[in-house]
Amino acid sequence: MNVTRRTVLGTIAAGLAAGSGFRAHAQSDWPSRVVRLISPYGAGGANDISLRILADQLERRLGQKFIVENKAGAGTRIANESVARAAPDGYTFLYVAAPYATAEALYGKLNYERKDLQPVAMAVSAPIFLIVNADAPFKTLKELIAHGKAQPDGLTFGSPGAGSQPHLAAELLFRDAGVKGLNVPFRGDNMAYTELLAGRIDATLTAISTALPHIQTGKLRVLGVASAARSPIYPEALTLREQGLQNVVAAGWYGFLAPAATPGTIVNRLQDEVVRILADPEVKQKLLVQGLEARGGTAAEFGKFVDDETRKWTEVIRAAGLKGE
């Protein structure tokens, strides 16, 4: 058989074209099977609850199963690494949380790199509220700061863990207010509330959903919210900026990341669906009930947001000399 160079090249080209066509079809057919959404926390928290709301909507819109898998631990690093190492085929995504932006500054070298993951869409934010015991002698932020300045050791703030977003927000507050402060880490919000209700700590910064029962019974008081603007979740709370602390802006947040080599057509499709879902008034209300705000944004917007958060909190972490445990 006389096989010419032209014949060989033609066969290779045909094979490449067929492979390219198959990949294009697979991408346009997405999703054709179950999609895994990885949560970096356990079941029942704000991250998990909001993700399940979004997963349900994605199933309805795309006609395929979207399952939530909880991979908690190591300050979200277990889930982050899992997705960074996943096949970039559009069937595994990370529902990333705020500690993603602070992990390297807190822990040093990680088992994954930022370049291993790409942004897909911003999703949800969890405003952080300043909460005190209703019976405390300070009834306003100004009085709380004055109280701290009058104490030899300053203020004591409870947080749901060292290096958590509430802890970092507290560090910003101490610095902006010019007051000494000590972070007291607990395993979750409820333990911090126990100490706050007992009068053993001065304040905590927290998502309001878990504190609301104590606020409604008059045991805890809201002194403000660490947002750029007032939150529709609890609109009567003044922002800390309105009360003179211009730099104290912080929130928990969640969004979608994908393995870096995930095809752009799939990333764009998921981005568009998430943005549409989060614009739905019914979805917004479901999130508000959970103490969360819909923050849909494109991949480019989310990527810039994460970069900005990383720069901001890295500076705070280094200035405070914080190290992850």
Side-chain angles (χ1 to χ4, degrees):
M1 179 179 180
N2 184 20
V3 180
T4 66
R5 181 172 180 273
R6 179 176 294 179
T7 302
V8 171
L9 292 175
T11 302
I12 292 172
L16 290 172
S20 176
F22 176 78
R23 287 192 298 273
H25 174 73
Q27 292 172 29
S28 64
D29 196 36
W30 181 89
S32 60
R33 54 186 171 86
V34 173
V35 180
R36 300 163 60 231
L37 304 176
I38 309 301
S39 166
Y41 296 109
N47 177 280
D48 177 73
I49 290 170
S50 59
L51 180 55
R52 291 179 190 277
I53 290 171
L54 294 173
D56 179 66
Q57 293 294 319
L58 287 167
E59 286 185 7
R60 294 182 187 184
R61 295 179 66 90
L62 295 173
Q64 188 54 260
K65 191 74 174 174
F66 282 72
I67 62 169
V68 174
E69 291 187 14
N70 300 94
K71 291 184 179 289
T76 77
R77 286 169 288 154
I78 290 174
N80 299 347
E81 182 182 355
S82 169
V83 179
R85 300 285 176 261
D89 56 7
Y91 290 91
T92 303
F93 294 92
L94 173 66
Y95 194 53
V96 69
Y100 176 77
T102 61
E104 190 170 355
L106 283 170
Y107 301 103
K109 186 171 177 58
L110 307 173
N111 292 329
Y112 59 91
E113 296 182 50
R114 289 274 295 278
K115 66 181 179 61
D116 297 330
L117 293 157
Q118 63 170 309
V120 177
M122 178 66 168
V124 172
S125 69
I128 296 175
F129 291 81
L130 176 60
I131 310 288
V132 299
N133 188 317
D135 294 329
F138 31 82
K139 309 301 182 186
T140 66
L141 174 61
K142 184 177 180 180
E143 290 177 355
L144 173 67
I145 293 169
H147 172 80
K149 289 181 176 179
Q151 307 306 309
D153 297 323
L155 295 171
T156 52
F157 269 56
S159 78
S164 64
Q165 205 70 0
H167 174 200
L168 298 179
E171 295 290 346
L172 262 186
L173 186 150
F174 300 149
R175 188 168 72 181
D176 215 25
V179 62
K180 290 181 182 179
L182 173 67
N183 171 66
V184 184
F186 298 98
R187 292 188 179 278
D189 289 320
N190 287 330
M191 291 180 69
Y193 299 150
T194 298
E195 296 301 293
L196 190 58
L197 290 165
R200 288 188 285 266
I201 58 175
D202 294 316
T204 187
L205 283 154
T206 180
I208 202 167
S209 56
T210 51
L212 203 54
H214 301 296
I215 295 166
Q216 291 170 335
T217 59
K219 294 179 179 178
L220 295 181
R221 180 190 304 274
V222 180
L223 295 191
V225 60
S227 300
R230 295 194 194 187
S231 170
I233 297 168
Y234 200 81
E236 54 265 53
L238 298 176
T239 68
L240 301 186
R241 274 186 168 179
E242 288 178 283
Q243 300 179 73
L245 300 185
Q246 293 299 317
N247 298 313
V248 188
V249 176
W253 51 263
Y254 314 117
F256 290 94
L257 298 181
T262 303
T265 51
I266 294 175
V267 169
N268 290 340
R269 179 75 187 280
L270 182 59
Q271 167 200 272
D272 293 345
E273 295 296 342
V274 170
V275 169
R276 291 191 186 101
I277 288 167
L278 290 167
D280 185 323
E282 184 178 336
V283 173
K284 287 184 177 182
Q285 185 57 38
K286 284 182 179 179
L287 291 168
L288 280 176
V289 170
Q290 300 297 332
L292 301 165
E293 297 179 21
R295 296 286 189 194
T298 65
E301 290 166 341
F302 188 36
K304 181 180 184 304
F305 172 82
V306 173
D307 288 343
D308 290 344
E309 286 285 283
T310 301
R311 281 191 293 271
K312 173 181 178 176
W313 295 117
T314 295
E315 189 276 327
V316 171
I317 289 165
R318 290 175 178 167
L322 304 178
K323 291 292 181 184
E325 298 175 354

